[in-house]
Amino acid sequence: RRMTEPSSLRAESLPAMALTTPLTGSDDAAKLAKWQKVIFFVTFVNYAMAHFSRKCYTNVKTDLVKSGVNKMILSQMDTAFMFTYAIGSFVSGRLGDMFPQNVIIGVGLIGSTLCLGMITIFEGSGVVHSNYPLGFFLFVFAQFTHGLFQSTGGPVNTSVMGAWFPKKGRGLIFGLWTCHQYIGDIVAALATAAIIKNGHPWQWALVLPGVLNGIWGVVNFFFLPNKPSEVGIESEEDKKNAALVSGGGAPASQGTIGFFQAFMIPNVMGYALAFGFFKFVNYAMFFWLPFFLSLHFDPQSANVISSLYSVGMMPGGVIVGFVSDLYDGRRACVIATFMCMLAPLLWVFAMFSDAMNPILLLVLLGVMGILVGGPNNIITSAVAADLADHPSIGGNTRVLGTVTGIINGSGSITAALGLMLIGPLQNAGGWTAVWWFLIACVATGTALMGPKIWKEITHHESTGSKAPAKPATGYQGVSTKEGA
């Protein structure tokens, strides 16, 4: 039996449903399987596009400096981007739960087009030479705005994925899905190198991602359904609601909840704080690893070798997701296991990195990428989706974007603050002090997940036999008791 959606929700089907005919199947299961492939692909490209545009800008910084955009401007541009990206994650996640996600994602991609266009125009106008204060403001403003648009990528795309993929088996799917950022970075590096190698103006490295982001944003408007019901597929949730109605009950609430209620969902706060420490470890490696390696290798070799860390991060999410599925969704336990392996590896770097064999160093960097990337990738995808399914929200289905935004935004803020300590720590105790600080962050983040780890060990509820929470007629207050 299929339910009729309330009129207030029909607006959410907006314009995604030019899509009701291309994919057909003999039943809902076949149609769902086909549509899941489309959703995976479109949202994967969405996030890859965001990293494509971000990394292309990073790759032409040297050319921007040569054109007169000095390092002070670039530094403030990066600071503005990180600030608005972190704050925007909270806002974007909330917007994704209130409005059609495909529209929010499309606006974010087109916004990146506008911001890259602004940078290109400002550089071509030579405004930094004719009026430096104005040029300073314009360039910083472009990246300030860019951070807001880019922040739509994580929370809102994760929200769409969560609506299409059930909790059982979600870990591996989300682990594969989180490779999007690395694909975007790799494509950006190859595209920039090809543009410059073939003698084209370096500005094309900004124009190309800008144009592609805009085109793909339009694709989202018309070809990304936000949930199965928009293409005539009855999801498990719809079937449960239909059964409840036929039995005289009330369907699950379809409204959204506020930030405070989302924070009160069990384990959201713990994961948000833990992710901050884990993300800081990742950011420390991302920004400072080439510098550390330059102490042992020439600068060009250091940059190449540091990429091994990024290569390791790509399978990290897949491994954590797959293993957590094998252990029936016990993601906190798997994440903690990875962190327990990471801590002694960081100790090895603290004690022996100055005299480590180069081959061993390369191998350990790849392993470090797996151990750091796995938990980071899975927390902002499969874990966030699991939290949004918590029984305490009474079957509410429009909360995943807010939860993902809280975790991602909190992590970005904590990581940004932590990066401010790397320089002073190096001055005070060299890289040994930095490695020990990273070990402390790993231990702190893992400890913050302690209640959830204990719950998974002692009272874990199977993802395959989970009974649905009894829905309420309206929004119910979020219980702060542990449930899952």
Side-chain angles (χ1 to χ4, degrees), residues 82-123:
M82 290 187 65
F83 174 76
T84 54
Y85 182 83
I87 301 302
S89 293
F90 292 97
V91 178
S92 297
R94 180 72 173 144
L95 291 175
D97 287 339
M98 297 174 65
F99 301 101
Q101 291 99 325
N102 64 312
V103 175
I104 302 298
I105 295 169
V107 169
L109 290 169
I110 294 174
S112 289
T113 298
L114 297 176
C115 293
L116 292 175
M118 283 194 289
I119 294 174
T120 305
I121 292 171
F122 297 155
E123 185 278 329

Side-chain angles (χ1 to χ4, degrees), residues 349-395:
F349 273 84
M351 301 301 295
F352 306 110
S353 62
D354 290 339
M356 190 177 295
N357 179 280
I359 301 299
L360 178 61
L361 178 63
L362 301 183
V363 173
L364 292 183
L365 284 177
V367 174
M368 185 184 295
I370 293 174
L371 297 177
V372 175
N376 274 273
N377 292 341
I378 217 69
I379 287 176
T380 53
S381 55
V383 167
D386 292 348
L387 293 173
D389 286 340
H390 198 275
S392 64
I393 59 175

Side-chain angles (χ1 to χ4, degrees), residues 377-429:
N377 292 341
I378 217 69
I379 287 176
T380 53
S381 55
V383 167
D386 292 348
L387 293 173
D389 286 340
H390 198 275
S392 64
I393 59 175
N396 192 296
T397 60
R398 299 300 301 275
V399 66
L400 177 51
T402 302
V403 170
T404 308
I406 288 172
I407 293 175
N408 201 26
S410 300
S412 297
I413 292 173
T414 304
L417 293 174
L419 286 173
M420 297 171 62
L421 301 176
I422 296 293
L425 282 171
Q426 284 190 63
N427 293 333

Side-chain angles (χ1 to χ4, degrees), residues 300-318:
Q300 184 174 358
S301 298
N303 282 317
V304 174
I305 294 171
S306 68
S307 66
L308 290 173
Y309 172 78
S310 297
V311 170
M313 290 189 72
M314 191 179 299
V318 179

Side-chain angles (χ1 to χ4, degrees), residues 426-449:
Q426 284 190 63
N427 293 333
W431 269 96
T432 299
V434 174
W435 294 120
W436 279 108
F437 183 60
L438 295 181
I439 293 172
C441 290
V442 167
T444 303
T446 306
L448 287 168
M449 294 172 54

Side-chain angles (χ1 to χ4, degrees), residues 53 56-57 60 64 116-117 119-120 195 202-211:
S53 59
C56 278
Y57 155 74
V60 298
L64 283 169
L116 292 175
I119 294 174
T120 305
I195 287 171
W202 63 265
Q203 289 86 348
W204 285 25
L206 295 176
V207 173
L208 177 63
V211 172

